[in-house]
Amino acid sequence: WLAAGVAPQATLMCVKSAGEEGNAGAVNIVKGMEWAVEHGCDLINMSLGVARAEIADKELLRHCCDALLGAGIIVIAAAGNEGSETMQNLCPIPNNVRVPGGCPPPYLDPDQMENPGELSSVICVGAVDENDSVASFTSHGPVTWENTEYGDYPYQPGIGLIRPDVCAPGVMIWSLHYNHINDYDYGSGTS
């Protein structure tokens, strides 16, 4: 059977920036975003990011997202699936959200106005379950950029940068699966 999505007139441009094992560093993610822009994309939606990013990787990705905002291109990025690692102190707040998901949004929420910073192009997405409760695996902020060249969104003192911006169903979702070329399967994640 044939299934149509919510935007059947949309044109998709699939860009691979990760290796065979699914790992993509900041440089390859930026190359993928640049390639997409050079080939006419007007929106980027990515289900990847750098977990526990080094400062240089964070800055590189934010520079790219700043340039994308300047070009009028918005990025929708997964927050990541390191939520359970927060509880184990393996990936603590304020470093729990994958980058570019941890980059600033193209707007500021009124709650963020007590601790504002600069903007970039990223709308960060987390996951909820069937009861609209935060999924245990979803990464969440706040995040900070105070120890980078940007120096904004301080955390403790300060509220940091609120992440994610929005949450969507992400637990046991019936969807295409990479192991089943012509079939569907259940999957979970912020992607």
Side-chain angles (χ1 to χ4, degrees):
W1 57 279
L2 183 62
V6 296
Q9 301 301 315
T11 301
L12 297 179
M13 177 189 305
C14 299
V15 179
K16 181 178 179 185
S17 59
E20 289 181 23
E21 301 297 317
N23 298 321
V27 170
N28 286 338
I29 292 171
V30 168
K31 285 180 181 178
M33 290 192 289
E34 288 173 344
W35 189 93
V37 171
E38 290 167 1
H39 288 83
C41 83
D42 50 18
L43 176 78
I44 296 175
N45 182 11
M46 63 173 120
S47 296
L48 59 88
V50 179
R52 298 176 283 291
E54 301 288 329
I55 288 175
D57 290 338
K58 287 177 70 171
E59 291 173 346
L60 175 64
L61 285 160
R62 185 161 169 189
H63 283 295
C64 181
C65 293
D66 289 349
L68 289 171
L69 181 63
I73 297 170
I74 300 299
V75 175
I76 293 97
N81 302 321
E82 284 74 39
S84 58
E85 293 181 20
T86 301
M87 293 178 261
Q88 301 167 21
N89 209 30
L90 298 173
C91 194
I93 292 170
N95 299 305
N96 184 253
V97 177
R98 292 184 187 189
V99 182
C103 292
Y107 60 88
L108 282 183
D109 184 279
D111 292 339
Q112 189 72 61
M113 295 315 290
E114 73 177 65
N115 188 21
E118 296 298 319
L119 303 178
S120 80
S121 65
V122 181
I123 297 172
C124 181
V125 181
V128 293
D129 63 19
E130 66 278 0
N131 298 314
D132 207 24
S133 297
V134 176
S136 62
F137 57 80
T138 194
S139 295
H140 52 86
V143 301
T144 185
W145 288 86
E146 64 187 317
N147 294 323
T148 68
E149 66 183 72
Y150 291 93
D152 54 2
Y153 300 105
Y155 176 66
Q156 292 185 341
I159 63 170
L161 174 60
I162 300 168
R163 308 311 288 142
D165 297 297
V166 65
C167 289
V171 178
M172 296 302 292
I173 303 300
W174 185 246
S175 182
L176 292 172
H177 195 276
Y178 67 93
N179 280 337
H180 308 285
I181 294 173
N182 296 314
D183 206 354
Y184 291 79
D185 203 349
Y186 286 100
S188 297
T190 56
S191 297

